[in-house]
Amino acid sequence: MRTLPTRTTVGIVGGGPAGLLLARLLHRAGVDCVVLESRDRAYVEQRQRAGILEQGTVDALRACGAADRLDREGLVHDGVELRWDRRGHRIDFPSLTGGRKVWVYAQTEVVKDLIALQLADGAPLLFEAQVTAVTGADTGRPVVHYRHEGVERTLECDYVVGCDGFHGVVRQAIPDGELRTFERVYPYSWFGILADVPPSCDELIYAHSPRGFALHSMRSPTVSRLYLQVPNGTDPAAWTDEQIWDELEARFAIDGDWKLERGPITQKAVLPMRSFVTEPMRWGRVLLAGDAAHIVPPTGAKGLNLAASDVIVLARAFTALARTGSTAELDAYSDTCLRRVWRAEHFSWFMTTTLHTAPGQSEFDTRLQLSQLDRIASSPHAAAELAENYAGLPVF
């Protein structure tokens, strides 16, 4: 029977991209850590989430040796296309941002790469380790309580980092009244599909339509990922494949010879949309990162990238603590990250409210949306603002 660690410097709860990237960065810096993930490996590696990586996220993956397959198989995108009023306009990222771009590389693949590295030569990574509580958050030695292989266990830590998502246990360890939360729930959802058909575009298409928003993305040169705005509570089974393709075609329509390619739909899911921020992102020896601290609507492609920027800041702070004994960067963690979080929240809100049609929306509000899209198409300054935020602002 293998001996499991009972003591570590940084206990990381959650083996998604945030927790795994943090563990990898800490391992490369020589900082001791342990990752506890409640699900099994197969589940974690198949969790479908984001697929757009900012320049800064790619740079971090390269720096920790986790980008070999990304560099071989990832799709580099230099821009996106906006569509409205049956016309399209391309936003060129490199020319507007000093050379920055984005990559299409699914979260499932990022996670697979990080898991393989972690199991090969990284810090301990335990699957099916169900964390039940975190105690002593306000002391010098918080303790993570978890169940693994039918046995109740504990992990004593100098610090605990919650990368366990919106419904995770770690945020619950912080007493009531110590956190403020800010939230917005949107009056529509995304109906997402995966289809075994080559993408009908070279770069993502964001479409504003009187019928509602639509997005054309991709997972690979042979798999398309597409989304439709739908009412909250929509049942995916109520839509036939033909209805889905017809609706997508109507919302992407432009004057010209562009054609939406159709193919077998392999997956359907409806995704509710919300904005959520917790302040602060630290209490005592407990720190929050990724979805445990903030959620954005997916329109701006910020979720995974915000999580990555959180743990990049955290890794720097823990490295500075190990090398110099100074807690200054760790003490500044929440304020440092929240500046970028709120910027990403605003951008995601802007993209969402500019491109979606709200239930009962007035013609006045629609005219404002169209005016904003016209402004982006006609002003390099407005286009640059969109491009800089989409390609990713620097990590502080």
Side-chain angles (χ1 to χ4, degrees):
M1 179 180 293
R2 61 175 172 162
T3 302
L4 298 180
T6 59
R7 180 82 175 87
T8 190
T9 302
V10 182
I12 302 170
V13 181
L20 292 168
L21 179 57
L22 176 58
R24 191 67 191 163
L25 292 168
L26 293 180
H27 175 69
R28 299 274 286 203
V31 178
D32 182 49
C33 64
V34 174
V35 183
L36 303 175
E37 164 57 44
S38 63
R39 301 284 193 161
D40 63 28
R41 180 177 179 178
Y43 180 92
V44 174
E45 291 186 339
Q46 295 302 317
R47 243 180 333 212
Q48 293 285 346
R49 294 289 189 276
I52 303 295
L53 305 182
E54 295 175 358
Q55 180 83 56
T57 302
V58 172
D59 291 344
L61 290 168
R62 286 173 174 161
C64 70
D68 289 351
R69 197 159 64 93
L70 163 62
D71 284 330
R72 291 195 310 270
E73 301 176 12
L75 305 177
V76 182
H77 283 197
D78 289 337
V80 296
E81 181 183 347
L82 302 179
R83 289 189 179 182
W84 72 102
D85 257 358
R86 299 188 64 86
R87 58 195 173 101
H89 178 79
R90 182 174 180 271
I91 307 293
D92 184 82
F93 295 157
S95 67
L96 294 165
T97 65
R100 297 173 77 81
K101 56 190 71 175
V102 299
W103 280 253
V104 174
Y105 191 67
Q107 175 176 309
T108 53
E109 307 314 301
V110 173
V111 168
K112 289 174 186 174
D113 296 341
L114 289 168
I115 286 175
L117 286 170
Q118 198 70 10
L119 293 178
D121 68 356
L125 165 58
L126 278 63
F127 292 104
E128 298 180 88
Q130 182 67 52
V131 174
T132 55
V134 177
T135 58
D138 55 345
T139 71
R141 290 188 174 179
V143 177
V144 179
H145 302 259
Y146 70 101
R147 185 181 303 108
H148 182 65
E149 297 178 343
V151 179
E152 301 292 334
R153 304 179 186 275
T154 59
L155 179 67
E156 190 177 277
C157 313
D158 291 341
Y159 294 90
V160 175
V161 180
C163 300
D164 52 344
F166 180 76
H167 298 290
V169 172
V170 176
R171 192 170 73 238
Q172 299 172 19
I174 301 174
D176 291 342
E178 296 294 338
L179 298 178
R180 295 184 67 195
T181 59
F182 306 85
E183 185 172 20
R184 169 170 293 184
V185 177
Y186 293 86
Y188 33 71
S189 299
W190 274 16
F191 183 9
I193 68 162
L194 276 176
D196 283 340
V197 60
S200 305
C201 50
D202 295 326
E203 298 171 332
L204 273 67
I205 301 173
Y206 287 80
H208 175 284
S209 161
R211 305 173 69 97
F213 168 77
L215 170 63
H216 193 320
S217 182
M218 60 282 293
R219 281 292 177 263
S220 75
T222 60
V223 177
S224 294
R225 181 72 158 154
L226 302 105
Y227 298 92
L228 287 167
Q229 175 191 338
V230 294
N232 288 339
T234 293
D235 179 5
W239 287 66
T240 67
D241 289 7
E242 185 177 9
Q243 287 174 322
I244 293 169
W245 287 117
D246 286 347
E247 189 62 27
L248 285 165
E249 190 168 283
R251 296 189 192 187
F252 286 124
I254 57 172
D255 294 331
D257 59 1
W258 182 84
K259 180 184 178 182
L260 177 66
E261 300 295 338
R262 304 185 179 208
I265 293 175
T266 59
Q267 186 182 101
K268 301 177 184 179
V270 171
L271 315 170
M273 300 175 67
R274 72 186 332 154
S275 300
F276 175 85
V277 179
T278 293
E279 291 189 0
M281 292 169 59
R282 176 187 178 182
W283 187 77
R285 294 293 184 106
V286 170
L287 305 102
L288 305 175
D291 286 359
H294 42 71
I295 291 174
V296 290
T299 326
K302 295 294 122 192
L304 171 57
N305 295 293
L306 264 188
S309 66
D310 288 348
V311 299
I312 291 167
V313 173
L314 259 185
R316 290 175 183 169
F318 282 127
T319 301
L321 175 63
R323 292 177 179 173
T324 70
S326 171
T327 64
E329 290 190 43
L330 207 52
D331 294 339
Y333 165 69
S334 182
D335 290 341
T336 300
C337 288
L338 283 169
R339 289 197 298 274
R340 197 175 197 273
V341 166
W342 279 111
R343 179 90 299 276
E345 290 284 353
H346 182 272
F347 177 67
S348 300
W349 166 86
F350 165 78
M351 290 287 286
T352 302
T353 56
T354 299
L355 292 165
H356 289 69
T357 303
Q361 179 169 302
S362 70
E363 183 63 23
F364 183 88
D365 288 336
T366 299
R367 294 286 183 167
L368 291 179
Q369 292 175 320
L370 297 175
S371 173
Q372 180 61 55
L373 291 165
D374 288 340
R375 168 70 177 168
I376 293 168
S378 61
S379 166
H381 302 291
E385 177 69 10
L386 189 154
E388 288 175 357
N389 280 275
Y390 196 101
L393 300 174
V395 177
F396 293 107

